Amino acid sequence: MQIDSQSRDVFYVSDGTAITCETLGHAVLGQFPFIANEQTFPFVENDEKLTDLIRQIELSHQQHGVPPLVFFSIVVPEIRVKLLQASTHCYDVLENIVQRVRSDTQTEPQPKLHRSRSISKNTDTYFDRIAAIEYTLAHDDGMSLRDIEQADIVLLGVSRSGKTPTSLYMAMQFGLRVVNYPFIHDDMRSLKLLPAFEIHRHKLFGLTINAERLTAIRQNRLAGSEYASVHQCEHELANVEALFRREAIPYINTSSLSVEEISARILEKAGLKRHLC
């Protein structure tokens, strides 16, 4: 069977959420030219789920002629051993770091399920994050500017420049309260900051995007409309970017960035701390 060197099946496997596996896997695979066909298997903590996972691994191996790549984090010894016996290339995302910390601190690790986040130990932090998500949803897409003084940051930009996914990511991952406000077609006639933004200028941050990319995104939503036309996209972006420069509002171009990268750059440029939950 001829091997397709342009793609590989990749599984993210964990007895928890698998978020750590995905994050580290993405960082590693970003160094390689092949396309990753990714699947995530969270909460693999019993034989039934493990059996299904191994079935998927074997099927991938049979279909493509090469073992899939598995980034995993498993603490149950029996499940770990069986996974390592499957027809796959396995990478424990925590093992080397855990062993280094064990050696440097002379402390024995105490592996346990669902160790990355504990609601019982971080109740206040957990509910802070829920409140941040609720606040961000209530202030999505310009729906409300009420209680804007509670916001950690206010994202500005044209429609479909990445404000909503970025806002929700920062709320869910870092417990930040985010307001996002879109500049629409009618705003372009006399584009200026709202009074509510003037008094919270230090919280403002802009998102922009390449016109070609914006056009493609809008065409998927409303094909053939003026809203999705190249001319309209270019016109809106030119006006909004001019506003950002005129008002000294920091901004970044989101065209080639993931939501994780967008969020990290905003936090760095705005000097915000990550409230890990």
Side-chain angles (χ1 to χ4, degrees), residues 1-191:
M1 178 182 295
Q2 185 176 4
I3 298 174
D4 180 7
S5 61
Q6 300 303 310
S7 67
R8 294 293 293 263
D9 282 352
V10 177
F11 297 163
Y12 300 114
V13 179
S14 177
D15 47 35
T17 63
I19 291 174
T20 300
C21 297
E22 290 177 326
T23 301
L24 293 178
H26 291 162
V28 171
L29 296 176
Q31 310 301 312
F32 296 90
F34 57 79
I35 297 171
N37 304 316
E38 300 168 310
Q39 295 185 61
T40 301
F41 296 82
F43 306 112
V44 179
E45 52 194 7
N46 56 51
D47 284 337
E48 181 180 356
K49 291 186 176 181
L50 179 64
T51 299
D52 179 63
L53 169 63
I54 292 178
R55 185 183 303 114
Q56 296 294 328
I57 290 173
E58 299 296 343
L59 181 61
S60 170
H61 194 177
Q62 293 172 13
Q63 289 180 337
H64 304 294
V66 292
L69 310 181
V70 174
F71 292 85
F72 77 96
S73 175
I74 299 288
V75 300
V76 179
E78 297 80 6
I79 293 180
R80 178 188 173 88
V81 169
K82 291 178 181 178
L83 176 60
L84 291 172
Q85 293 173 345
S87 302
T88 180
H89 296 303
C90 282
Y91 311 98
D92 187 327
V93 301
L94 297 179
E95 182 178 28
N96 289 337
I97 297 176
V98 169
Q99 293 308 315
R100 286 286 302 275
V101 173
R102 173 182 178 272
S103 175
D104 291 342
T105 65
Q106 295 297 300
T107 304
E108 289 298 322
Q110 298 178 351
K112 57 182 178 180
L113 289 172
H114 313 310
R115 62 215 167 276
S116 59
R117 290 187 173 91
S118 174
I119 293 176
S120 62
K121 292 184 179 180
N122 300 286
T123 303
D124 291 342
T125 302
Y126 173 78
F127 286 111
D128 284 345
R129 180 170 56 157
I130 296 301
I133 295 170
E134 291 175 345
Y135 179 93
T136 300
L137 286 171
H139 294 79
D140 179 46
D141 209 26
M143 286 192 296
S144 173
L145 295 180
R146 184 179 179 183
D147 299 325
I148 191 174
E149 69 278 359
Q150 296 180 17
D152 293 297
I153 194 161
V154 179
L155 297 185
L156 306 175
V158 301
S159 173
R160 299 290 151 178
S161 56
K163 298 182 304 303
T164 293
T166 301
S167 298
L168 291 175
Y169 181 85
M170 290 196 294
M172 290 187 288
Q173 293 298 315
F174 306 126
L176 296 174
R177 298 186 179 208
V178 186
V179 171
N180 85 71
Y181 183 87
F183 292 118
I184 60 176
H185 174 73
D186 291 343
D187 295 324
M188 300 303 145
R189 298 171 185 171
S190 179
L191 193 59

Side-chain angles (χ1 to χ4, degrees), residues 155-156 161 166 205-210 241 244 249-255 257-259 261-269:
L155 297 185
L156 306 175
S161 56
T166 301
F205 200 96
L207 300 185
T208 188
I209 189 172
N210 293 343
E241 289 178 12
F244 292 157
I249 298 171
Y251 68 98
I252 58 174
N253 189 306
T254 65
S255 301
L257 301 177
S258 67
V259 68
E261 291 172 311
I262 296 169
S263 300
R265 292 184 187 225
I266 290 173
L267 294 179
E268 188 271 330
K269 287 180 177 290

